[in-house]
Amino acid sequence: MIQVAIPSGLRPLTGGALRVEIAARDVRGAVAALDARFPGFAAALGRSFAVAIDGEIVQDAWHEPLPAGSELHFLPALAGGA
Amino acid sequence: MSEAKKFRWVGTRPIRHDGVDKVTGRASFGADLSFPDMLWGRVLRSPHAHARIAGIDTSKALALPGVKAVVTAADLPKLPSVEAGGGEGAANMRDLSHNVLARDKVLYHGHALAAVAATSDEAAEQALAAIEVVYEPLAPVLSIDAALAPGATLLHAELRTRGADANLPNVASRIVFSRGDPEAAFAAADIVLERSFETQTVHQGYIEPHAVVARTNADGQSVVWCCTQGPFMVRAYCAAVLGLELSQLKVIPSEIGGGFGGKTTVYIEPLAVLLSRKTARPVKMVMSREEVFRATGPAGAARVLVKLGAKRDGRLVAGTARLWYEAGAFPGSPVQAGAMTVLAPYALDHFLIEGFDVVVNKPKTAAYRAPGAPQAAFAVESLLDELAQQLGLDPIELRLANAATEGTQAPYGPRFKKIGMVETLEAARAHPHYHAPLGPNQGRGVAVGFWFNGGMSSSAELHLTEAGSAVVATGNPDIGGSRVSLAILAAEELGIDVQKVRPVVGDTESVGYTDMTGGSRVTFATGIAVIEAARDVVRQLRARAAKLWDCDPAQVAFVDGRCVPVEGSGLAREPLSVAEIAGKMGSTGGPINGQAQLTARGAGPGFATHLCDVEVDRETGRVDVIRYTAVQDAGRAVHPSYVEGQMQGGAAQGVGWALNEEYVFDARGVLENPGFLDYRMPVASDLPMIDTVVVEVPNPGHPYGVRGVGETPIVPPLAAVANAVARATGVRMRALPISPPRLLAALGGGAA
């Protein structure tokens, strides 16, 4: 199981829940599990997002594996300057 | 992951490999390439900030002598509104196409709507004048207030506010981050301050204007030479805008005369390709400085409303922030990053952050160094300074009392790993600058900055020569000394002299896919790829030594650039240097090349604390920065000179943002200062030597502890300068720039 922090903008879909526990092996699976439990979640999230897995930010994370017990946050995709 | 290690090259300051060519003028930049049969391309730009295009007639232009092609949006495929990755973040390819050439509407003064290729620059310019366009002018929307007003003219009739219950005019998206119960926490605070802050549109101000040459070969492949932060991005974006396969494009990056985020998209590149495909001749296009100002992406104006509640001892109990960022003509301001960074340096249990992405009739914004963060930090760091004054607290002590540390949950969700916020504050507090006396009309400002730093995808190849020297090939244009930094990493792993490592920036067909130079990611992420490629070479060196020694590779260790018998292996052999093994590589198995490709995780966030002293001339309102110290956590400074250079450059740009820089538009939306004479950036004589203190709190996500350093240093200066002015004058400037007329007016108002 993994812990998912629900972004503020998507909490109406989760009945206000801030965190949920789901079973998923990767980010794609997590989005599918969330969408199954909270219909419309995947569409509201879109495909342009980054994630943080146990505090590490990953862009383009669709296939990123989720270790058991990990914590997943959805973040906006970021642009950088340099 | 970070390894305790004694370094030979990391932390030293070798001369950069590209340095001599650059200081002697031999380096080849975007506009330096020409071909004998080349055509010149020019762009027709809108004289209106907002208008419907009723018709374009190019026939008279095409009939002029020397004119070989004219293109408009009708020559581009119509694209659906879908977001596509091009490296860093995502871009909407339909919007990108409409920015390259306007379709149906022009959305800012200077918006491109046709391009011409002719046998001379003069002929191309004459052809522009012969293109007939019928406009139906619309009211321009030139400010956040005008965009949000009920009944406002809409830039995009189909635009709906993503993330909001009700549609807001000209607002593309709303983003929210919240935790706890800020209102209840405010009620329990001893002091609550709420203030509104504004920043203006500013440009990155890179010295080199955008330039491109495109040549289409007989096989249908177009080769593009251009100055860019991302050759793979140029290939992807040109392919999308023109409806080409990636294999039909090859992009060769030139040297780059500055980017700062502004060269992370395309403008004239697809036009040059299209014109070269139409004419079967090379086409060269070079923007003028005026075009750069009018039609490339600046950082947008912003308004940030911040509210902070604290106890008498300075402990913050709650914060709220509402951010409105101008995106320019198409959605996509960095308001998300502004919302994510605005309170990130501080540990807060109760907050509400709300951001709005607002479209206006100005050039589409582009990334600018820590995009979105400086505007937000200006607000919260200014308010913290006022809070410190009202509570009678030292501004560094106030920040230390609230500083995020390892384990603090960032407002955007995850918990920080090891970070250096406290260490930069402590280093600033201990610096002689912080304790130096101030004279009359002088003040000292303190401000903190935060940036995430990026990871993303990189490839690296390391080729060993038969003499034991090496070539490191990567795909990141070198903006800030990354070549020598990557060479240092390879030299460190291989144990050879750094000058024996030649770093090469490859093109899209000679190196593996690599995301853009941006997000402060190259020395971190591409650096990890270089380290892994070097370790790949070391594995092969050990195997070759084992072959030469007729033993098992497990019996061979690699120490300080030499293969030696593993201790306790019982093997008695003289050490073999890299050069000795390389000299025999043909007979021991063939060439030795290392390779690595990865998507880097573990980018360590960057924190900085800046100290700024100013002196204010109360008669003129002029502000002089008389002393400046930038303190930053670099994790591990691979080449300290280029870390310091980033810190100094970011501080200088931030001082310009604070004191002088702003786009000045007239009521019709025409930019009135599209040149460096009237758009005043700081020059060397405007600034003191910017002192630097590099703090090293190793990033656990990198083998050497490296953190990105390029963006964080532009985050604190806006507030550091404003706070210094406030303490020098007693007048707090909450709108930038603090230019002489504005400050003089504020001082007069303060005296009345």
Side-chain angles (χ1 to χ4, degrees):
Chain A
M1 302 296 278
I2 61 155
Q3 296 285 326
V4 183
I6 305 299
S8 304
L10 298 183
R11 287 177 202 159
L13 289 169
T14 62
L18 305 179
R19 306 177 73 82
V20 296
E21 194 174 67
I22 58 166
R25 282 185 300 182
D26 57 20
V27 172
R28 176 175 55 177
V31 173
L34 289 163
D35 197 55
R37 195 188 300 183
F38 309 112
F41 190 97
L45 182 67
R47 282 295 295 269
S48 178
F49 63 85
V51 301
I53 302 166
D54 289 335
E56 287 189 359
I57 295 177
V58 187
Q59 310 273 352
D60 199 9
W62 195 239
H63 299 286
E64 201 67 27
L66 296 169
S70 59
E71 184 183 67
L72 175 69
H73 291 263
F74 294 103
L75 310 174
L78 286 170
Chain B
M1 185 176 172
S2 181
E3 303 158 6
K5 187 173 164 74
K6 192 170 179 302
F7 294 107
R8 178 180 171 199
W9 290 107
V10 169
T12 65
R13 301 169 186 255
I15 291 171
R16 61 195 291 169
H17 303 68
D18 49 319
V20 173
D21 269 3
K22 283 181 174 163
V23 298
T24 55
R26 294 179 67 90
S28 183
F29 289 86
D32 286 336
L33 183 70
S34 292
F35 289 102
D37 56 343
M38 191 177 77
L39 301 175
W40 291 84
R42 281 289 196 115
V43 175
L44 180 68
R45 299 186 179 279
S46 169
H48 300 282
H50 197 188
R52 228 177 293 283
I53 304 167
I56 304 179
D57 184 349
T58 62
S59 57
K60 287 180 184 163
L62 267 170
L64 289 173
V67 175
K68 300 297 180 187
V70 182
V71 295
T72 67
D75 295 284
L76 301 178
K78 279 192 176 179
L79 299 176
S81 177
V82 290
E83 293 192 333
E88 197 163 52
N92 183 308
M93 289 298 129
R94 183 193 62 179
D95 292 347
L96 181 70
S97 170
H98 291 186
N99 197 39
V100 167
L101 283 176
R103 190 185 288 269
D104 305 327
K105 280 176 94 178
V106 287
L107 292 163
Y108 54 93
H109 181 266
H111 195 164
L113 69 165
V116 169
T119 48
S120 70
D121 199 25
E122 295 73 22
E125 190 173 355
Q126 286 167 12
L128 295 184
I131 298 173
E132 294 174 344
V133 185
V134 181
Y135 297 98
E136 294 171 1
L138 299 163
V141 177
L142 297 171
S143 67
I144 292 167
D145 284 337
L148 300 179
T153 302
L154 299 178
L155 272 73
H156 307 280
E158 76 287 358
L159 188 67
R160 296 290 173 268
T161 310
R162 189 174 167 187
D165 296 333
N167 202 41
L168 303 167
N170 293 311
V171 177
S173 64
R174 169 182 173 268
I175 188 164
V176 177
F177 296 98
S178 65
R179 191 184 306 150
D181 186 347
E183 288 311 315
F186 280 132
D190 294 323
I191 181 171
V192 177
L193 296 179
E194 183 173 25
R195 304 282 186 263
S196 181
F197 298 85
E198 289 184 13
T199 59
Q200 297 303 315
T201 302
V202 298
H203 199 272
Q204 300 86 348
Y206 34 82
I207 288 294
E208 182 195 26
H210 300 253
V212 57
V213 178
R215 185 184 69 190
T216 300
N217 297 330
D219 65 358
Q221 188 189 51
S222 298
V223 183
V224 184
W225 292 263
C226 62
C227 55
T228 177
Q229 291 177 236
F232 292 90
M233 172 277 299
V234 172
R235 185 177 70 172
Y237 286 8
C238 286
V241 168
L242 300 172
L244 299 173
E245 297 291 328
L246 293 185
S247 59
Q248 291 175 282
L249 290 159
K250 173 180 178 177
V251 180
I252 303 173
S254 67
E255 292 295 342
I256 180 168
F260 312 107
K263 291 174 183 168
T264 58
T265 187
V266 295
Y267 300 101
I268 52 178
E269 296 83 356
L271 299 177
V273 172
L274 183 59
L275 290 167
S276 84
R277 296 183 79 83
K278 281 218 162 202
T279 59
R281 288 173 67 172
V283 175
K284 180 171 184 169
M285 302 180 81
V286 181
M287 277 195 184
S288 66
R289 178 62 58 188
E290 184 174 334
E291 286 180 296
V292 171
F293 271 107
R294 291 196 193 284
T296 67
R303 176 181 301 152
V304 181
L305 179 66
V306 185
K307 183 177 177 182
L308 294 173
K311 294 291 190 186
R312 274 188 199 86
D313 63 3
R315 204 160 31 86
L316 294 172
V317 295
T320 62
R322 299 188 85 199
L323 307 91
W324 294 265
Y325 278 32
E326 289 184 3
F330 299 95
S333 76
V335 72
Q336 291 96 334
M340 291 163 77
T341 58
V342 64
L343 296 173
Y346 304 104
L348 268 177
D349 294 328
H350 303 279
F351 60 82
L352 173 63
I353 304 164
E354 192 176 17
F356 300 90
D357 184 32
V358 184
V359 293
V360 293
N361 289 117
K362 296 178 184 176
K364 168 71 177 77
T365 58
Y368 180 13
R369 216 167 184 164
Q375 300 96 318
F378 167 56
V380 76
E381 293 297 312
S382 292
L383 193 58
L384 278 170
D385 197 57
E386 193 174 342
L387 189 66
Q389 284 182 310
Q390 294 211 14
L391 291 173
L393 296 173
D394 175 274
I396 290 183
E397 298 300 336
L398 174 71
R399 287 168 172 84
L400 278 169
N402 295 286
T405 57
E406 185 174 4
T408 298
Q409 189 176 8
Y412 52 86
R415 293 185 185 281
F416 288 122
K417 296 194 170 178
K418 186 68 184 163
I419 53 172
M421 164 83 169
V422 166
E423 286 80 354
T424 69
L425 283 163
E426 288 175 340
R429 185 177 56 182
H431 196 281
H433 180 172
Y434 198 55
H435 309 283
L438 290 163
N441 296 314
Q442 295 180 354
R444 176 167 300 139
V446 176
V448 157
F450 157 78
W451 185 247
F452 313 91
N453 294 326
M456 310 204 64
S457 296
S458 291
S459 304
E461 284 187 29
L462 203 155
H463 308 153
L464 208 59
T465 72
E466 61 274 31
S469 56
V471 174
V472 174
T474 63
N476 287 116
D478 181 356
I479 300 185
S482 57
R483 277 193 188 90
V484 68
S485 297
L486 298 176
I488 284 174
L489 297 175
E492 191 70 53
E493 289 290 326
L494 295 177
I496 63 176
D497 191 297
V498 70
Q499 296 299 345
K500 289 189 173 176
V501 181
R502 295 300 303 187
V504 173
V505 178
D507 60 58
T508 55
E509 293 189 350
S510 62
V511 291
Y513 179 85
T514 296
D515 279 322
M516 284 188 279
T517 297
S520 304
R521 63 171 224 91
V522 176
T523 303
F524 167 75
T526 305
I528 296 176
V530 168
I531 289 169
E532 292 197 1
R535 290 178 180 180
D536 185 13
V537 166
V538 167
R539 278 189 291 275
Q540 296 174 58
L541 289 169
R542 288 174 51 229
R544 303 302 173 89
K547 202 173 259 188
L548 291 166
W549 289 345
D550 196 19
C551 69
D552 190 284
Q555 293 177 286
V556 182
F558 190 78
V559 180
D560 294 334
R562 298 189 305 175
C563 284
V564 296
V566 167
E567 256 185 50
S569 65
L571 202 65
R573 297 283 190 279
E574 285 302 307
L576 284 169
S577 69
V578 173
E580 287 169 322
I581 300 169
K584 295 188 169 83
M585 63 188 178
S587 61
T588 55
I592 298 177
N593 301 314
Q595 188 188 342
Q597 48 278 319
L598 49 84
T599 294
R601 286 173 59 166
F607 287 88
T609 300
H610 287 198
L611 306 174
C612 173
D613 292 358
V614 301
E615 182 169 319
V616 176
D617 183 332
R618 287 178 171 270
E619 289 187 2
T620 63
R622 180 189 165 101
V623 176
D624 280 310
V625 176
I626 55 174
R627 187 168 183 181
Y628 202 103
T629 302
V631 184
Q632 186 172 327
D633 174 21
R636 176 84 63 199
V638 174
H639 191 307
S641 296
Y642 298 116
V643 173
E644 292 157 2
Q646 292 284 355
M647 293 162 68
Q648 291 166 325
Q653 285 184 311
V655 168
W657 201 334
L659 289 180
N660 288 102
E661 294 179 40
E662 63 177 319
Y663 274 32
V664 179
F665 292 95
D666 72 10
R668 297 176 302 125
V670 179
L671 181 62
E672 293 186 315
N673 56 338
F676 284 138
L677 195 60
D678 297 315
Y679 180 91
R680 184 72 164 81
M681 297 189 78
V683 295
S685 57
D686 291 321
L687 294 169
M689 179 65 187
I690 293 168
D691 291 324
T692 56
V693 178
V694 178
V695 171
E696 294 187 321
V697 178
N699 169 22
H702 186 279
Y704 296 175
V706 170
R707 297 176 194 271
V709 295
E711 293 172 285
T712 305
I714 202 175
V715 184
L718 285 64
V721 172
N723 292 343
V725 170
R727 287 174 183 261
T729 64
V731 172
R732 193 160 285 279
M733 300 295 286
R734 298 192 182 91
L736 298 182
I738 309 173
S739 57
R742 284 177 188 237
L743 182 56
L744 197 57
L747 290 171

